[in-house]
Structures are given as C-alpha cells and as structure tokens.
Amino acid sequence: MKFKTHLIIVFLLAAITRLLHLYYYPVRLTDYHLIQTAADNLTNGYGMGFQRSSVEDLSLFYFEGLRLWPPLVTVITAYINQITGNRFLTDVIMLSLSMLGLLWILYKIAKTINLHTSWIIVLFLFLAFNPEVIKHPGFSDVTSAFFCLWSILVTAEWIKSDTEKNYLQIILTSLLLFLPSAFRYQYYPLSVFLSIAIVTYAIHSKNKKMLNAGLVCLSLTLSFLLLQEILLYSCTK
C-alpha cells in the first residue's frame, strides 16, 4: 500500500476519532452556557446577552451584554440554533466543521513545508489517538485556531509570490487575516501583525506593488476590527 493511501486512511481516522470525542464528550462548561443563552436571547429579540439580578436586591434585574467573545460567535450559534432547534446538535455541527477545517489546514501546512508523507502520517496518528491535544475545545477556540493557521499560511505564500494581487484577492486576504479575531479577541495583535509583515517585506524588497497592496490590506483589516467593535457595542449595550 502506498504512502498516499496510508495518509488518506490516517487522516480519516484522525477526523473520525476527533469527531467521536466531540460527540461523546460534549462541552458543557460555563462558556458554552453563556454563549447559548446569549444566542437564545438574541434570537428572541432580547439582545446579545442575558438578564442578571442585583446582589443587593434579587427582585431587580438588569441586562448584561455578552462581551467575552466577539459577536460573530453568538450570531453563528443563534443562526444554526434556529435551523436545528437543538443546542447539542448545533454544537456538534459547528465543532465538527471547525475541527475538519483545522485538520485540513494542518495537512496543507505540512505539504507546504515539504514534510515527508511518513511524518504527516505520524502527525495525524498522534492527533487521532491523543485526546489531550485538543481536549474539551470550544467552537471559538477551534475555529480561531483554524483561521489563524490559514492566515499565516496565506501571508507566507503572498510574501513568497511576486505576482500582482487584484482587488478581490486583497479584500479576501484582509478578511482572512481578520477572521481569527472574529472568534477570539486574543488574535487582534496577530491580525494586525500579519498585515504589517506584508508591508515590511514589501519595503525591504522594494516591491512597490506589494507595498500598495499590503497597505490596503492593513487598512481593510483594521476596518474590519473597528466594525466588529461597533457591532459588539450595538448588540450588547
């Protein structure tokens, strides 16, 4: 049996074991309940948050917006909840898609750095049989990691390429650089750094076309981050 066939089998094994782990050991932590409650309230028109009672007077209630995660996490959860009508099924669908995306981007990176097929097989065997690698992940954790690795890969490919980028490519790249931050606030510095990396390389290599594209990319990425903050404020005030 060829290495390629082995790789396909091991990749599928890793995907199946990770998805089974998500199914039989679902996330039921505080984060999960906060997001799901905020999603239900958003769907019912009560805003992206939940009602809290005052410690001084339990008869007094006030609205507290959910600002612990970027708004896209709650919006996606609310939308899929409306389709499935089941919180558990929603969680399984979102985590399954994000986990498959994470495994796919790990494979892409391994191929990009010319990692030998035998080592890629070892990597996915490790992911398949070691539940501690990604233990009790949340949707925002896995999805942000997926977009983080993808944005790093695209940035590296952009820097290596001398081809001129059209406006659509620039917009899509800017959106991709922003997406890790759309699921976890911790990636704000990364989104900005990757755009700056393109600009810095263009200056160093004296590539004017790449510099112009990089500056546009940086401006769009910052704009996306600003729009997210505005949306978060408007949904949780």
Side-chain angles (χ1 to χ4, degrees), residues 25-36 69 91 135-138 141:
Y25 300 97
V27 179
R28 288 294 183 269
L29 303 177
T30 304
D31 292 357
Y32 166 83
H33 292 292
L34 287 175
I35 294 173
Q36 285 287 358
W69 292 270
D91 197 45
K135 187 176 182 180
H136 298 309
D141 302 312

Side-chain angles (χ1 to χ4, degrees), residues 7-166:
L7 178 58
I8 294 173
I9 293 173
V10 171
F11 181 87
L12 292 175
L13 178 64
I16 291 170
T17 55
R18 300 314 306 182
L19 295 181
L20 286 175
H21 186 270
L22 294 176
Y23 182 80
Y24 284 105
Y25 300 97
V27 179
R28 288 294 183 269
L29 303 177
T30 304
D31 292 357
Y32 166 83
H33 292 292
L34 287 175
I35 294 173
Q36 285 287 358
T37 301
D40 289 343
N41 288 333
L42 179 65
T43 301
N44 295 326
Y46 299 128
M48 190 184 297
F50 28 78
Q51 295 294 324
R52 285 191 179 276
S53 60
S54 173
V55 177
E56 298 175 353
D57 186 350
L58 295 179
S59 64
L60 296 177
F61 294 89
Y62 63 94
F63 175 79
E64 181 177 312
L66 182 63
R67 299 179 180 178
L68 298 175
W69 292 270
L72 190 58
V73 177
T74 308
V75 170
I76 292 176
T77 303
Y79 179 74
I80 300 181
N81 271 344
Q82 286 184 297
I83 297 174
T84 64
N86 185 292
R87 284 186 172 189
F88 175 70
L89 182 57
T90 295
D91 197 45
V92 169
I93 290 174
M94 293 192 305
L95 276 171
S96 297
L97 293 175
S98 57
M99 184 64 71
L100 289 173
L102 183 60
L103 293 175
W104 171 78
I105 200 62
L106 287 172
Y107 170 76
K108 288 284 292 182
I109 291 174
K111 296 298 289 184
T112 300
I113 64 176
N114 294 320
L115 191 64
H116 192 273
T117 305
S118 59
W119 284 108
I120 301 177
I121 291 173
V122 171
L123 169 65
F124 283 109
L125 281 174
F126 180 72
L127 292 173
F129 294 110
N130 188 354
E132 295 295 328
V133 178
I134 311 173
K135 187 176 182 180
H136 298 309
F139 168 63
S140 63
D141 302 312
V142 181
T143 309
S144 58
F146 161 61
F147 283 120
C148 169
L149 294 175
W150 194 5
S151 60
I152 291 173
L153 180 62
V154 168
T155 301
E157 291 176 344
W158 193 346
I159 289 175
K160 286 168 56 179
S161 173
D162 290 329
T163 57
E164 184 177 357
K165 304 296 185 294
N166 57 44

